[in-house]
Amino acid sequence: MQIKNRLTPFFENITFDREDNEMILNFGPQHPSAHGQLRLMLHLQQEMIVKAHPDIGYLHRGMEKMAENMIYNEFMPTTDRMDYIASSSNNYGFALAVEKLIGLEVPRRAKVIRMMLLEINRLMSHIFWLATTALDIGAMTVFLFAFREREYLMDIIEGYCGARLTHAAIRIGGVPLDIQDSFIAQLKSFLDKLPANIKDYEDLLDTNRIWLMRMEEVGAISKEMALSWGCTGPMLRASGVAWDIRKEEPYELYDEVEFKVPYSDKGDNFARYKVFMQEMRESAKILYQTIDMYKECVKNNQTELMAHAPKYVSAPKIDIMTQNYSLMQHFVLVTQGMRPPVGEVYVATESPKGELGFYINSQGGPYPYRLKVRAPSFWHAGVLTDLLPGHYIPDVVSIIGTTNIVFGEVDR
Amino acid sequence: MRAYKPKDNVQAKAYYTDRFYVSPQVPKSHVESDEVFARDLEAIKAKFDVLDAYIQVGQMVVFINPSDNYKVLELLRDELEYTQLSEMSAIDWLADRGGFEIFYQMLSMNKRKRLRIKMFINKGEAVNSVEKLFRSADWSEREMFDMFGIEANGHPFMKRILMPYDWQGHPLLKTYPLQGDEFAAWYEVDKIYGKEARDIIGPELRDSAKVDRYDSERFARLGHEVPKGTKITGNEPKVVQNYQEEGGVFMVKKFDKKDSVVIDDPQR
């Protein structure tokens, strides 16, 4: 049945054994500690990596193309699927970009709720990072402890928006819902326990010989390298640049809250671990303050959750149900979508992974003319090219762990 | 993949447009309104042609000639403290203006400022790679090539990054189809086995949980074993299953389904 001459042998263009005694090792794309679909082609001299070639794209879904063919509100749930460990931060990055494009001012109560969601997402992401990285190194206990804590946070989020992973909890112009009655009590009881939990993790890891051997002075990124490779977030802060967008270019109410920006000048795995742990504490600090801010909003009777901009944002449900004009407006916004003004905008927010930027070029139509997502993990995967050479095979796992890459975001 | 001949702008279109609707503009302000940007622009203007410059949503946008891009970014990095290239990509303007607009999104951490360098290239032109200045451009330029087909001169490894290496076409072009080719699954089969094999292979089984009890080719039919490939029409004789050999096993009582008792009492 098989027609002989039509079959051309297909070999991947790789030699496994070469004259210079260099072996090429394929790491992934199905490696459990690659945190997703990462394929690394590693050139090895004995056990040492002399050249690394990360290969990505196994999770590419063409989100930028999808965005060009969707109305703005339709794209919101799609953004969930980028950094699916902390999906509200993607929702927020997109919402803020569109709001800046339109020039919307979000009501204060919505801002407070957004900040709560963002910081809960940051905690979820960092706890997840700690769990998976510790598991890769072999610390199974930390993994179980950390997943337990993450579960509490997911329950709180589930109570808010009904979803645990893909939240779609933020809208362009505000938030769709007020927080539920039990939200603050649950959050508070979680936050009260958090310092003890973080101490548990640190007690297990900080002086652990194996952990130190795998972390200290492994995967050191210099300041110049981090800047040149476009590293942001904890990756950059661990390399000695105290740059946090929440602090430097504050959005929402981050200029009203008190928090520190932890950084280290070591740049190695251990520095990144420390930065992540410290950031969890800072997030908790911010969350305590947002609880007070929320209570103040309730006291001052600031009940608005969505911006008032009839051209772009639907009226509250009660108006839609009772007023003819609001219903018509809502109908147009749902079927045709909003038409932002002609212009372009690049807005960066500090997602748990780093700088999450949305570049939107609008030509006045209901679809963005061009939408580019600047996902931090993309460059944190790229930096492996220069970071891995000189390290040994087991280091690859710990380095991938501390770079905290998520492939939904790398490939988009 | 087969080569795809681009047709037209196939992007989704607004199905309702008002003839008299004039879309508003995102306000632009003069560069002079911001001291830091004004000084930066002066520095760029001193050495290079600036086609246009303005501030939009708090960020300066500077239009330059495409041949200057490397030099301008070098100036920005070394003298004006724009130490990070946050992002770069292209915008497809092939239908309207016959080319691409390319933007470089720059960040200065010392000045807390972001600016965007933009330039226009015609169809088929390449850009100068800025990979030597910013390592992040290594992957960005590959992505730009992958998505738009714009090559970067002097790039060390100008290969596709997100799409498979043998992919045809560039997905972010406005002419790139929004739907896949539904016959694409057969092209490899055609190449290897010939078109005749399509009938033999048949359509792909999409429901992985589907079990056909009359299919003796793919399923073991536990308890109703027949030789492989037997045609079963449906009125097959009922086979009584024996769980033990006829002779019996030492110390083990022969199991008989008819004699077995089902105990309902949960408290037993």
Side-chain angles (χ1 to χ4, degrees):
Chain A
M1 215 219 45
Q2 187 171 319
I3 300 163
K4 269 186 185 157
N5 294 330
R6 287 208 198 170
L7 180 68
T8 36
F10 175 80
F11 299 118
E12 292 199 41
N13 192 15
I14 287 172
T15 24
F16 284 93
D17 208 333
R18 306 202 314 189
E19 296 221 331
D20 51 1
N21 205 17
E22 196 169 287
M23 193 175 87
I24 297 178
L25 178 78
N26 251 314
F27 182 99
Q30 303 293 349
H31 196 284
S33 63
H35 290 220
Q37 312 307 93
L38 169 68
R39 178 183 177 210
L40 276 173
M41 279 175 274
L42 304 169
H43 295 231
L44 302 173
Q45 291 277 10
Q46 312 302 333
E47 282 224 7
M48 195 166 68
I49 297 153
V50 289
K51 198 179 159 201
H53 178 77
D55 186 14
I56 59 167
Y58 292 91
L59 208 57
H60 179 232
R61 295 148 291 178
M63 280 196 180
E64 284 156 21
K65 184 77 171 174
M66 286 159 80
E68 287 174 15
N69 296 287
M70 281 181 178
I71 64 173
Y72 287 82
N73 279 319
E74 227 176 344
F75 186 57
M76 187 59 78
T78 316
T79 57
D80 281 338
R81 275 80 182 165
M82 290 194 320
D83 177 3
Y84 41 77
I85 305 300
S87 42
S88 296
S89 56
N90 305 328
N91 300 155
Y92 177 71
F94 177 61
L96 185 69
V98 180
E99 282 156 16
K100 283 266 172 75
L101 188 67
I102 301 169
L104 276 187
E105 183 58 33
V106 175
R108 187 177 168 89
R109 187 161 176 156
K111 282 185 176 176
V112 175
I113 296 174
R114 281 172 167 205
M115 270 174 69
M116 285 178 166
L117 292 174
L118 288 178
E119 291 310 314
I120 291 178
N121 272 276
R122 193 179 310 279
L123 275 176
M124 270 166 69
S125 170
H126 282 14
I127 290 176
F128 182 86
W129 167 82
L130 178 74
T132 49
T133 307
L135 181 70
D136 289 346
I137 307 294
M140 185 86 176
T141 320
V142 178
F143 168 78
L144 294 172
F145 279 4
F147 259 65
R148 184 188 58 190
E149 265 74 75
R150 181 164 172 265
E151 204 67 13
Y152 293 141
L153 287 171
M154 300 228 290
D155 285 345
I156 298 174
I157 287 275
E158 191 183 5
Y160 176 68
C161 66
R164 295 165 72 77
L165 216 55
T166 49
H167 308 148
I170 289 167
R171 298 284 180 277
I172 296 163
V175 286
L177 292 166
D178 199 1
I179 53 177
Q180 74 268 27
D181 296 340
S182 59
F183 189 94
I184 285 181
Q186 280 178 326
L187 185 60
K188 244 191 171 153
S189 70
F190 174 82
L191 291 176
D192 291 342
K193 268 184 282 173
L194 188 68
N197 289 327
I198 296 176
K199 192 173 173 301
D200 277 353
Y201 312 145
E202 288 192 333
D203 285 350
L204 282 166
L205 297 174
D206 266 2
T207 48
N208 185 316
R209 273 189 300 162
I210 303 170
W211 183 259
L212 290 177
M213 274 162 71
R214 301 292 297 274
M215 287 285 166
E216 273 183 332
E217 279 157 39
V218 172
I221 304 179
S222 67
K223 189 175 165 183
E224 291 71 34
M225 186 173 159
L227 287 171
S228 173
W229 259 109
C231 290
T232 45
M235 288 280 277
L236 186 63
R237 289 195 282 277
S239 297
V241 185
W243 174 263
D244 188 323
I245 299 170
R246 290 175 294 169
K247 203 77 167 175
E248 310 293 336
E249 302 170 332
Y251 46 91
E252 297 305 331
L253 305 169
Y254 279 110
D255 44 354
E256 292 181 22
V257 290
E258 193 78 25
F259 69 102
K260 290 199 197 81
V261 179
Y263 71 102
S264 158
D265 52 3
K266 276 281 188 63
D268 59 355
N269 280 346
F270 196 72
R272 289 194 278 278
Y273 156 68
K274 277 289 170 201
V275 168
F276 276 116
M277 298 307 271
Q278 206 53 45
E279 270 186 24
M280 281 194 228
R281 295 196 171 95
E282 297 302 324
S283 279
K285 224 191 272 175
I286 296 173
L287 277 170
Y288 274 122
Q289 292 171 59
T290 53
I291 291 174
D292 296 340
M293 285 161 120
Y294 181 79
K295 283 181 178 159
E296 220 163 89
C297 284
V298 176
K299 208 168 70 188
N300 298 341
N301 205 19
Q302 291 164 317
T303 49
E304 286 220 314
L305 291 174
M306 291 289 275
H308 179 73
K311 265 174 84 180
Y312 305 111
V313 181
S314 291
K317 209 75 188 170
I318 182 126
D319 288 359
I320 294 172
M321 294 307 202
T322 52
Q323 293 177 27
N324 199 2
Y325 192 76
S326 295
L327 177 66
M328 284 155 65
Q329 205 81 47
H330 179 64
F331 180 76
V332 170
L333 284 173
V334 169
T335 54
Q336 295 177 31
M338 67 169 82
R339 289 167 201 249
V342 179
E344 55 179 22
V345 71
Y346 175 82
V347 175
T349 54
E350 185 77 25
S351 97
K353 309 280 183 299
E355 175 184 325
L356 177 68
F358 279 85
Y359 168 83
I360 301 176
N361 186 318
S362 157
Q363 293 300 315
Y367 313 107
Y369 189 77
R370 172 89 171 95
L371 186 144
K372 179 83 182 79
V373 186
R374 189 244 185 251
S377 295
F378 184 74
W379 281 279
H380 295 171
V383 77
L384 295 175
T385 320
D386 290 353
L387 183 56
L388 291 180
H391 289 92
Y392 295 89
I393 299 175
D395 296 338
V396 175
V397 173
S398 62
I399 289 172
I400 293 174
T402 51
T403 50
N404 196 13
I405 44 181
V406 166
F407 274 80
E409 201 177 57
V410 176
D411 299 336
R412 298 180 302 273
Chain B
M1 275 291 292
R2 282 185 179 178
Y4 169 75
K5 289 198 186 63
K7 295 178 183 80
D8 198 8
N9 184 348
V10 292
Q11 298 282 99
K13 305 217 174 35
Y15 69 85
Y16 173 77
T17 43
D18 186 343
R19 267 199 301 166
F20 303 107
Y21 176 72
V22 181
S23 17
Q25 303 277 329
V26 179
K28 294 173 186 172
S29 53
H30 286 291
V31 178
E32 284 74 47
S33 61
D34 188 295
E35 278 177 36
V36 182
F37 280 148
R39 251 179 282 133
D40 291 345
L41 187 65
E42 278 310 305
I44 301 173
K45 266 188 178 165
K47 288 185 183 165
F48 306 100
D49 284 348
V50 172
L51 308 178
D52 192 8
Y54 53 83
I55 295 178
Q56 200 170 37
V57 203
Q59 296 176 10
M60 179 161 72
V61 186
V62 183
F63 288 78
I64 57 161
N65 287 319
S67 52
D68 294 337
N69 70 338
Y70 185 90
K71 288 277 170 57
V72 170
L73 261 64
E74 195 176 30
L75 176 82
L76 284 174
R77 186 191 71 168
D78 295 342
E79 288 167 38
L80 303 178
E81 298 180 314
Y82 285 85
T83 45
Q84 207 168 37
L85 174 65
S86 298
E87 175 65 287
M88 63 153 296
S89 195
I91 308 168
D92 177 355
W93 289 108
L94 286 173
D96 299 2
R97 291 152 66 189
F100 298 95
E101 206 165 47
I102 292 171
F103 65 90
Y104 297 90
Q105 182 70 40
M106 309 292 297
L107 165 65
S108 168
M109 289 175 181
N110 292 350
K111 299 177 183 173
R112 293 186 193 175
K113 289 283 180 196
R114 291 174 191 273
L115 71 78
R116 188 154 54 242
I117 300 291
K118 293 189 86 174
M119 59 193 205
F120 186 82
I121 60 161
N122 291 319
K123 191 185 174 185
E125 283 177 3
V127 294
N128 301 321
S129 170
V130 294
E131 186 267 336
K132 297 265 182 317
L133 296 171
F134 298 99
R135 283 292 281 134
S136 61
D138 182 345
W139 278 30
S140 314
E141 280 168 356
R142 278 177 71 190
E143 194 189 344
M144 185 170 78
F145 166 68
D146 196 355
M147 294 294 143
F148 293 95
I150 305 167
E151 294 193 30
N153 288 332
H155 190 283
F157 192 68
M158 195 82 266
K159 289 277 166 64
R160 284 183 183 273
I161 188 166
L162 292 172
M163 306 300 283
Y165 67 95
D166 57 350
W167 198 258
Q168 300 271 356
H170 300 281
L172 278 180
L173 296 179
K174 299 285 177 194
T175 51
Y176 190 84
L178 292 176
Q179 257 142 26
D181 182 347
E182 58 179 300
F183 297 105
W186 293 116
Y187 298 158
E188 282 300 294
V189 173
D190 291 353
K191 252 194 265 172
I192 297 171
Y193 299 108
K195 234 174 183 159
E196 318 77 78
R198 285 191 185 192
D199 294 334
I200 301 162
I201 294 168
E204 188 189 356
L205 183 66
R206 282 297 179 101
D207 181 4
S208 56
K210 190 178 179 236
V211 175
D212 181 3
R213 62 174 293 232
Y214 299 121
D215 184 354
S216 60
E217 292 276 356
R218 293 191 193 89
F219 299 106
R221 290 171 52 81
L222 286 178
H224 304 277
E225 285 90 349
V226 287
K228 189 185 180 206
T230 312
K231 289 270 180 300
I232 309 159
T233 48
N235 43 11
E236 52 182 331
K238 203 161 189 179
V239 188
V240 182
Q241 188 74 24
N242 277 322
Y243 291 92
Q244 213 175 69
E245 295 82 352
E246 269 314 304
V249 182
F250 175 63
M251 293 280 287
V252 180
K253 207 179 140 197
K254 188 170 164 67
F255 173 72
D256 192 346
K257 217 173 184 177
K258 274 176 270 173
D259 294 347
S260 59
V261 186
V262 178
I263 300 165
D264 278 335
D265 181 14
Q267 301 296 321
R268 74 193 161 84

